[in-house]
Amino acid sequence: MSLMPAIVFAAASWLPVLDVPSGQPVEFYEVLTDTVGDEKWARFRFLAPEIGRDAGTVDFAQAEQDLEHLCTEVALPYLVEYELEVDVVAVTLLDRPVAFGETDPDATQFIDVFRVSAGMCVWEGL
């Protein structure tokens, strides 16, 4: 699996702090696009300080609904607005900013991957 250089898209003005099923505050961080193998990926990354392992109040079971919600309610409309065609959408919640591809042993990240099919996010379980 090769990871091609990513293109960063600026935050759209319509992406404020977002309402998600868990009720935690979630803020848009960045969108990256790349190619993995033969597939085009879009990576939607969000800051969610409540998932932090030390002081966090939201666990993965609670945040999992947020990941699907963000795919459906943010990623899909974003892809349409910016006329991006991708095979896979990865949605990441981070408790603090971490540059893509870098590690931070103190950071917490929750990630779910979805295939875009017929205008819907279909969980990939990767």
Side-chain angles (χ1 to χ4, degrees):
M1 172 187 320
S2 69
L3 185 63
M4 299 300 290
I7 299 171
V8 179
F9 288 88
S13 61
W14 49 270
L15 292 175
V17 173
L18 304 163
D19 291 325
V20 293
S22 72
Q24 70 173 314
V26 172
E27 184 179 333
F28 177 79
Y29 181 50
E30 66 185 350
V31 175
L32 307 171
T33 61
D34 58 45
T35 301
V36 178
D38 293 332
E39 295 185 314
K40 295 178 185 176
W41 284 52
R43 301 172 189 278
F44 287 78
R45 304 177 80 219
F46 301 88
L47 297 176
E50 298 296 318
I51 67 168
R53 76 185 77 165
D54 295 327
T57 59
V58 176
D59 63 17
F60 184 79
Q62 294 167 296
E64 193 168 19
Q65 292 179 19
D66 297 345
L67 294 164
E68 183 175 356
H69 175 83
L70 291 166
C71 186
T72 301
E73 299 299 325
V74 177
L76 292 180
Y78 189 101
L79 295 173
V80 170
E81 180 173 332
Y82 289 94
E83 299 178 0
L84 299 172
E85 292 187 24
V86 301
D87 302 299
V88 178
V89 171
V91 180
T92 304
L93 296 177
L94 305 102
D95 72 330
R96 67 193 72 199
V98 177
F100 181 75
E102 292 188 11
T103 60
D104 178 343
D106 296 323
T108 299
Q109 298 184 45
F110 295 157
I111 304 167
D112 252 346
V113 178
F114 303 88
R115 187 153 304 277
V116 178
S117 178
M120 296 174 47
C121 293
V122 179
W123 182 64
E124 275 291 286
L126 297 177

